[in-house]
Amino acid sequence: MDIWIWAFLLLLLGLILAVLEMFVPSGGILGFLSACSFIGAIVLGFRYSVTYGIVLTLVTVFGVPIIIAVGLAIWPHTPMGRRILLDVPTSEQVLPEDPRKQTLKALVGQIGVAKTKMLPSGVIVINGRSIDAISDGTPIEPGEQVRVLDVRANRVVVRPLKAETHPPQQPEDLLRQPIESVLNEPFEPEESG
């Protein structure tokens, strides 16, 4: 057999060993043998001809990372990859079931009445039940209607209904006004008397 066939076979062996290194736990032995195969293929390629050696070098430099990337994309879908790389559990799977939180989440969107003054926390009443709640930032007076927005850390977040029907008025754009209308003149001339 010609030397170029041996160089090609060593290159092929190196690629196979590089892929096996990802799938078979070998402690780096297969990776070392793969690197030795690549070096041997390049040396034999240059002994055959400079052009063949350059081609084998380019295949090694560009082909190996591509093959490794493809192998890493395929590996999680193999039986061994599924055993080693476990799926990340969701928070619903990890956290214990809390019936109280499920009951509170069912209140989202409902309307209730503030039982106490909320600055920002207090008590609201929904369907005859008293529930601890916090305001979304606006103070709420007793007797004011509120809507449940969210549940955070077993606390119900509410907003007054009047804030929903009457959005706060946006002030005029201060950046477009002349500076004199926004600020007083800091350096007024002193009055001489």
Side-chain angles (χ1 to χ4, degrees), residues 36-60:
C36 290
S37 295
F38 289 135
I39 292 171
I42 292 171
V43 168
L44 288 177
F46 275 110
R47 289 189 75 199
Y48 179 72
S49 75
V50 175
T51 307
Y52 194 63
I54 290 173
V55 168
L56 289 178
T57 303
L58 290 176
V59 167
T60 302

Side-chain angles (χ1 to χ4, degrees), residues 10-142:
L10 277 176
L11 179 70
L12 190 61
L13 177 68
L15 290 173
I16 291 170
L17 290 174
V19 170
L20 280 176
E21 173 65 29
M22 291 184 294
F23 294 107
V24 178
S26 68
I29 294 172
L30 292 176
F32 175 74
L33 292 175
S34 172
C36 290
S37 295
F38 289 135
I39 292 171
I42 292 171
V43 168
L44 288 177
F46 275 110
R47 289 189 75 199
Y48 179 72
S49 75
V50 175
T51 307
Y52 194 63
I54 290 173
V55 168
L56 289 178
T57 303
L58 290 176
V59 167
T60 302
V61 169
F62 294 112
V64 171
I66 290 172
I67 296 228
I68 289 174
V70 169
L72 288 176
I74 293 172
W75 189 49
H77 305 292
T78 63
M80 181 180 289
R82 282 192 295 266
R83 275 187 251 134
I84 293 174
L85 301 174
L86 301 175
D87 291 331
V88 177
T90 62
S91 61
E92 288 83 22
Q93 294 171 335
V94 175
L95 296 175
E97 290 186 25
D98 186 7
R100 181 174 184 270
K101 189 168 185 177
Q102 296 300 328
T103 306
L104 293 177
K105 282 201 176 274
L107 297 175
V108 174
Q110 292 190 15
I111 297 175
V113 177
K115 188 175 183 180
T116 63
K117 187 168 189 158
M118 300 180 69
L119 292 173
S121 65
V123 178
I124 63 169
V125 177
I126 297 179
N127 300 330
R129 286 183 42 212
S130 295
I131 301 166
D132 289 331
I134 53 175
S135 168
D136 70 339
T138 57
I140 300 173
E141 295 295 323

Side-chain angles (χ1 to χ4, degrees), residues 137-156:
T138 57
I140 300 173
E141 295 295 323
E144 200 172 334
Q145 287 192 328
V146 294
R147 180 182 305 275
V148 178
L149 300 177
D150 193 12
V151 176
R152 293 185 206 140
N154 288 335
R155 295 295 294 264
V156 176

